[in-house]
Amino acid sequence: MANHKDNGETLHEHQEVYQRYPLVPVHGIPLMEPIVRSWACVENFEARPDDLLIATYPKAGTTWTQEIVDLILARGDVEKACRAPVYIRIPFLEMCSFPDFRSGVDLLMSAPSPRVIKTHLPFQLLPKSFLEKDCKIIYVARNAKDNLVSYYFFDRMNLVQPDPGPWDGYIKKFMEGTVAWGSWYDHVRRYWDERANHRILYLFYEDMKEDLSREIQRVKNFLEVDLSESVVQKIAQHTTFQAMKANPMTNCEDVPSTVFDRTISSFMRKGEVGDWKNYFTVAQREMFDADYQSKMEGTALHFRDVL
Ligand code: A3P
């Protein structure tokens, strides 16, 4: 959740405002209905030239990348990165407000520069000022089947997103792009193509799993931050799956059970590549892969562990 109470009350007092919101299209992209209600504030958001966007399709490794970026900017100061939950340190641009919660836009308007901003918006829905100001963007992509599995478990435990329904039907919703934030295929492809026009660093979850230090190096180079090898190693140690699962500032443990039902799934669930093999039947895989090939035809964007 991007919103955070800062007046000392607990979220539980307002559990009645939480419900599984329907999705409503904005320029054809399904978004949670309360986000759509405050869409004008997002659309007209005023970016600053030194803003950094972390853009992802949901469940691609956003939180992981947020923590890495925050630690790079803090020059590896782990205590500094523990100053607040990750969703406060790096607000969620399009997340709406609830009765006593500040929206992502509201949090960002009072945040000092340089701001780091999380978004799941597909490229075409980004507020125009990010592009006009030529802001840097870090995009993280994850292979479709693992992304889908992760999203399925998240939609089950996240009580403000639509009920995912049965697994088989969810696969089809994902393929059709009728889940929140729309089509995975369009999302990953468009940011890939826009590398030619904008300052976009395109990362892969699978590369981060393979060699985290190497990918941290890439991020710090993109951010033009000078760090010694030992600081890079320290950041890598602090951002392993196990470290982040144990860290209350990254594992969302303060989000109440009226929003995240941890009896269904944890926020830091498994953090693996290839977990899809535990859920897809052979028939589901064949159907998914055939559709994947047609949707991804003609792109040079390739993922590992796709087929
Ligand atoms: P799983 O559900 O497959 O475990 P997001 O932050 O975009 O919501 O992505 C969540 C996914 O990233 C979850 O995947 C989560 O476990 C995984 N993740 C979070 N931190 C990670 C880390 N440090 N290393 C590997 N995976 C991580």
Side-chain angles (χ1 to χ4, degrees):
M1 292 290 293
N3 298 298
H4 176 73
K5 287 190 64 64
D6 51 8
N7 62 2
E9 294 176 53
T10 71
L11 282 161
H12 303 270
E13 292 159 32
H14 299 283
Q15 58 182 275
E16 72 279 3
V17 303
Y18 298 108
Q19 53 169 281
R20 287 191 176 274
Y21 296 103
L23 300 179
V24 175
V26 171
H27 301 295
I29 303 298
L31 297 175
M32 272 192 294
E33 189 251 328
I35 295 182
V36 178
R37 263 188 268 134
S38 51
W39 182 248
C41 297
V42 177
E43 197 165 33
N44 298 319
F45 182 76
E46 269 303 317
R48 303 173 193 158
D50 56 358
D51 283 344
L52 171 70
L53 261 186
I54 298 176
T56 57
Y57 190 79
K59 311 317 287 178
T62 328
T63 318
W64 194 5
T65 309
Q66 286 174 274
E67 188 66 3
I68 289 169
V69 166
D70 197 41
L71 276 162
I72 289 174
L73 297 178
R75 272 65 179 170
D77 184 341
V78 170
E79 267 180 40
K80 192 171 175 197
C82 286
R83 68 194 178 280
V86 65
Y87 56 86
I88 297 298
R89 287 179 274 143
I90 300 181
F92 188 175
L93 174 67
E94 62 268 27
M95 191 47 71
C96 48
S97 67
F98 285 99
D100 332 58
F101 297 84
R102 296 174 65 195
S103 66
V105 168
D106 199 16
L107 284 169
L108 286 163
M109 275 172 17
S110 54
S113 294
R115 301 180 296 191
V116 185
I117 303 169
K118 162 186 166 178
T119 186
H120 291 320
L121 293 175
F123 186 85
Q124 69 274 20
L125 287 196
L126 287 181
K128 291 288 163 279
S129 65
F130 283 108
L131 309 178
E132 287 159 8
K133 303 264 166 59
D134 194 27
C135 297
K136 287 185 183 176
I137 301 174
I138 297 178
Y139 188 81
V140 191
R142 184 178 193 182
N143 79 79
K145 291 202 285 284
D146 281 335
N147 205 140
L148 190 168
V149 168
S150 183
Y151 208 176
Y152 172 69
F153 282 100
F154 185 65
D155 273 350
R156 289 183 62 199
M157 67 87 80
N158 179 355
L159 304 178
V160 298
Q161 294 236 126
D163 190 321
W167 165 242
D168 195 56
Y170 192 79
I171 297 177
K172 296 189 181 86
K173 285 186 205 169
F174 184 93
M175 287 163 51
E176 289 160 0
T178 51
V179 293
W181 284 280
S183 161
W184 174 93
Y185 312 85
D186 293 348
H187 208 286
V188 297
R189 286 187 68 153
R190 181 69 189 271
Y191 277 97
W192 178 257
D193 292 344
E194 292 294 342
R195 289 173 312 140
N197 310 318
H198 300 281
R199 298 195 291 170
I200 298 175
L201 176 69
Y202 203 101
L203 301 176
F204 293 93
Y205 182 98
E206 295 75 21
D207 289 346
M208 292 162 70
K209 283 295 289 188
E210 180 186 71
D211 189 339
L212 185 50
S213 301
R214 180 190 65 208
E215 297 307 302
I216 292 171
Q217 295 274 6
R218 290 186 65 207
V219 176
K220 79 150 180 73
N221 292 343
F222 182 67
L223 299 180
E224 298 165 88
V225 174
D226 214 10
L227 296 180
S228 67
E229 183 53 34
S230 67
V231 172
V232 170
Q233 291 307 326
K234 186 179 172 192
I235 294 172
Q237 280 161 18
H238 188 76
T239 53
T240 62
F241 179 75
Q242 294 309 335
M244 285 183 56
K245 190 176 173 72
N247 180 352
M249 295 303 150
T250 50
N251 66 14
C252 287
E253 74 174 32
D254 61 328
V255 176
S257 57
T258 45
V259 179
F260 284 176
D261 184 348
R262 294 173 192 80
T263 64
I264 297 173
S265 178
S266 41
F267 181 72
M268 293 283 166
R269 196 182 59 91
K270 282 195 187 169
E272 289 172 3
V273 176
D275 186 40
W276 63 267
K277 290 172 187 146
N278 296 314
Y279 300 98
F280 279 71
T281 64
V282 172
Q284 286 167 342
R285 176 193 166 165
E286 284 173 1
M287 181 263 308
F288 188 90
D289 288 349
D291 178 73
Y292 184 95
Q293 300 222 322
S294 69
K295 288 200 169 89
M296 298 297 277
E297 204 178 338
T299 177
L301 172 59
H302 295 298
F303 290 81
R304 296 188 218 185
D305 216 33
V306 174
L307 300 173

